[in-house]
Amino acid sequence: MKGLLIKDFSLLKNQKIFFLIILIQGVAFFGFGEQANISFAVSFITFIMCFFTVSTISYDEYNHGNAFLFSLPFSRKTYTAEKYVFGLLLGGVTWLAVCAVSSAVVYIRFPDTFSLQELFTTYPLYLAMALCMEAVLIPFQLKFGGEKGRLALILFFVGLFLAGMLLIRVLKSCGIDLDAILTSFSMHGALTFALCILAFTAILFLLSLALSIRIVEKKDF
């Protein structure tokens, strides 16, 4: 797995212009934006870096590169697990760095509104959402590839949206007030809510890993 991690991190060197643009945007958000924009920058940069994990799969597939890649002495399970480890490392380290910069900037520029509660509740949600996105994208990318993967992903989210709308209608017809349930749950505290989201993310990540391993082991290259 170490060699695969080195390969993927080496791909970062080919994206210098892309990361320069992200850096310029980050400086603009942190240096000139309002506090809400600074908070948005944390989620934006974390999402972008987590999305890069999915793009490494496209690099591996380019010009049938997988045919050569899987001739090397590692298992398909190791290859799949490495993508998730790479995503955790890249997203996690980026998130920690951006959170540190964001907290320092907010403390200096907006000392009256600086809140540790946001640091320990809101910011972890950004990482959780980015990892959830990653957990959904990776299996689609491994299964369908680039173009077909994007189409399948769009259809998936449309289906998810329609299922959500249907669930809301069913709950209303049964006399269940979803807003009241969410309000009651949030009253238990933001920290509890954040911990539940992180637990959900961990479960989704593991399920996604198991699904991706199955996809790769059955795929012909």
Side-chain angles (χ1 to χ4, degrees):
M1 183 180 292
K2 180 180 178 181
L4 291 171
L5 286 171
I6 293 174
K7 172 188 69 67
D8 283 345
F9 277 111
S10 296
L11 290 174
L12 295 176
K13 298 178 182 179
N14 300 324
Q15 305 295 323
K16 293 178 181 178
I17 297 178
F18 172 76
F19 291 123
L20 179 60
I21 294 173
I22 298 299
L23 178 61
I24 293 173
Q25 290 178 328
V27 171
F29 278 124
F30 292 135
F32 307 101
E34 298 297 326
Q35 186 171 352
N37 293 333
I38 294 174
S39 180
F40 168 77
V42 176
S43 62
F44 174 74
I45 296 175
T46 303
F47 267 82
I48 289 296
M49 295 306 293
C50 283
F51 186 78
F52 185 79
T53 303
V54 181
S55 70
T56 62
I57 300 175
S58 297
Y59 281 116
D60 292 343
E61 294 174 344
Y62 184 70
N63 280 341
H64 305 287
N66 277 332
F68 167 76
L69 191 62
F70 284 104
S71 67
L72 299 176
F74 59 82
S75 67
R76 296 191 176 198
K77 182 177 181 180
T78 299
Y79 170 83
T80 310
E82 183 271 337
K83 292 302 179 186
Y84 287 82
V85 173
F86 177 70
L88 283 172
L89 289 175
L90 187 61
V93 171
T94 300
W95 175 78
L96 285 173
V98 178
C99 281
V101 174
S102 173
S103 299
V105 170
V106 172
Y107 182 76
I108 294 172
R109 294 187 58 202
F110 308 98
D112 295 335
T113 56
F114 179 78
S115 174
L116 285 175
Q117 182 180 6
E118 181 178 19
L119 180 63
F120 289 107
T121 56
T122 305
Y123 282 9
L125 293 181
Y126 297 149
L127 178 62
M129 289 187 292
L131 293 179
C132 283
M133 176 201 71
E134 200 172 78
V136 172
L137 290 176
I138 291 177
F140 276 95
Q141 187 71 21
L142 290 171
K143 176 67 176 178
F144 300 104
E147 296 297 329
K148 291 182 180 179
R150 282 189 286 271
L151 177 60
L153 190 63
I154 292 173
L155 294 175
F156 169 79
F157 279 115
V158 170
L160 189 65
F161 173 77
L162 293 176
M165 295 295 294
L166 179 61
L167 177 62
I168 292 174
R169 288 183 176 273
V170 170
L171 291 176
K172 284 185 177 181
S173 66
C174 295
I176 300 175
D177 190 346
L178 185 60
D179 291 334
I181 294 175
L182 293 175
T183 302
S184 175
F185 184 76
S186 63
M187 290 177 63
H188 287 83
L191 181 59
T192 302
F193 179 72
L195 290 175
C196 290
I197 293 296
L198 291 175
F200 170 80
T201 303
I203 294 172
L204 179 63
F205 218 68
L206 292 175
L207 291 175
S208 175
L209 173 60
L211 176 61
S212 294
I213 290 174
R214 186 174 180 181
I215 289 172
V216 174
E217 288 182 339
K218 290 186 175 182
K219 195 170 184 179
D220 294 326
F221 296 104

